[in-house]
Amino acid sequence: MNKRLIVVSVLLLIGITLVFAQGGTEPTAKSDGPTKIEMWYNATQTEVGPLPDDWVGYQILKDRFNIELEASSLPSSTTDQDMKIQAASAADTLPDFFVANREVWLRLANNGMLADVTGLYEKMPNRTGIMFDKDAISFTSLDGHSYGFATPAMISRNEGLLIRKDWLDRLGLSVPKTTDELLQVMKAFTFQDPDGNGRNDTWGYGAFIELTTYEAYPGRRFEPLMGAFGIEGTWNMTASNFGLQIHKPEFYEYMKYMKTIIDEGLIDPNWMAYKKDDFRAAWKQGKFGIMREQNAAFAAKNNYSPFDANFPDGEWIIVDPPVGPSGKNSVGPETRGLRIWSISAKAAEEGKAEKIAEMFEWMASGEGYLLCGWGQEGINYTLKDGIPVTVPGELGFEGPVGQTYIQLRSMAFNYSSDTELISRYPVYTTDVSKKQMSALWALREMQGKKWTNSMGADSMPVPSTDLKTFYEQGLAEFFTGKRALTPENWKSFIAEFDKIGGTAWEKAGLEYAKANSYLK
């Protein structure tokens, strides 16, 4: 019995409840029929719906490559994505081809659930030339074999700290520069009716829990606050102060700052329950006045339109992250932001790996690249000086309908070419307030703020499931008051964390960082 079968058998014997498991791979394709490929993707725009059934790419793949593609979008929350994929792996129902973050990928690879794709790079010359350099292949390699394709998932430094300038102006406040000033603005936004509607219905800060390998609980949306205390990201990747941030004395000071925000009711109280789409709906409804947000999610025309309609006089500005007690500040850790596309071991056993490589290569250049990135020429876009430009109306690739046809954009884009950036983020005039806006302007401003170079942090060793749960539940208990935040309780929590694996995790991280020359 191979390792994968052993894992599955054990999990079935202990009776794991598969709450999120769904779907399954198709039977082995017949030699004279199309190869059926089940694929789980992360949607480009989670708010507008999945890839439509009438996407012309389905027919092209069938006619040209004899592939019958069944594409399903993963949940918008990375946490929910992880749960769905891990549940499927436990039930041995992983799809043929799917995307995952490195933490989940690593567990699957170590359990023999993924196909060795080392030999497939040469079969994808265009994609390999654009995306898979030595570092990217190393990102998915174990013992000299690659078990997935590490593709760019985002533009580097594409998020920023934003604040409602119209609220500051109405209350006679200046842009906060320090953590103390930020706290005072949060209080004013919460208790002084910044929108002037006469109701007590606003909060200072808005967020949701969004975790990655390099942004541990409570995650990305709080990084500007953590950066003020010098503990942004999961790891400190410097040679002089390497280690898990939770071990740093400054982490406790950050916890006290967070407790003040939470205990005084200065943060949208739904932050622990919000999913990404809930959070984005909330700021467009004017519920809070400070947040960390992504450039396009904030400033792309279709995404900004609801806020523009609700608050024509509203204005968000991108500000410097606040400076903390020791003079530190950062928007957050900066990494390459790679996500991994993997072929399940079962799909490879059924002879589907090379057909998947053919499809993946088609999406990397020419017809497939344009179709995934911008839709159909003449319907979703036109070419102007070689740059795809959205057509007016709902079917344009920036429109609410047109956006659904480019849900596979992340499979095609390399997120660095001028063609992509200029086309993706054009200048436009908002419908109601008639502002001139561009998500590219927002991106450039965000990239100009202070970030922390943490290259390699997204490939560091991951904790065991038990240790990760202990970490997250422990901090949540302090935040919610279930456990009093005192020096004694914090010391006890860290001691228990180390006892069940924290010290070993940090030691493994140091060895890995040294071996891969990540320490700076």
Side-chain angles (χ1 to χ4, degrees), residues 370-392:
L370 288 168
L371 187 61
C372 291
W374 292 276
Q376 289 181 268
E377 185 176 3
I379 296 176
N380 307 112
Y381 74 90
T382 57
L383 285 176
K384 183 178 180 181
D385 299 327
I387 303 292
V389 177
T390 188
V391 301

Side-chain angles (χ1 to χ4, degrees), residues 298-336:
F298 158 61
K301 185 174 183 179
N302 194 53
N303 297 329
Y304 187 78
S305 292
F307 179 79
D308 186 55
N310 291 334
F311 307 101
D313 297 325
E315 181 183 6
W316 289 94
I317 57 173
I318 300 162
V319 301
D320 290 318
V323 176
S326 301
K328 297 176 180 176
N329 72 325
S330 174
V331 179
E334 177 190 357
T335 72
R336 289 190 65 177

Side-chain angles (χ1 to χ4, degrees), residues 247-258:
H247 279 147
K248 310 299 181 188
E250 293 85 356
F251 202 100
Y252 181 72
E253 299 305 312
Y254 152 75
M255 289 293 291
K256 290 196 297 183
Y257 188 74
M258 277 291 293

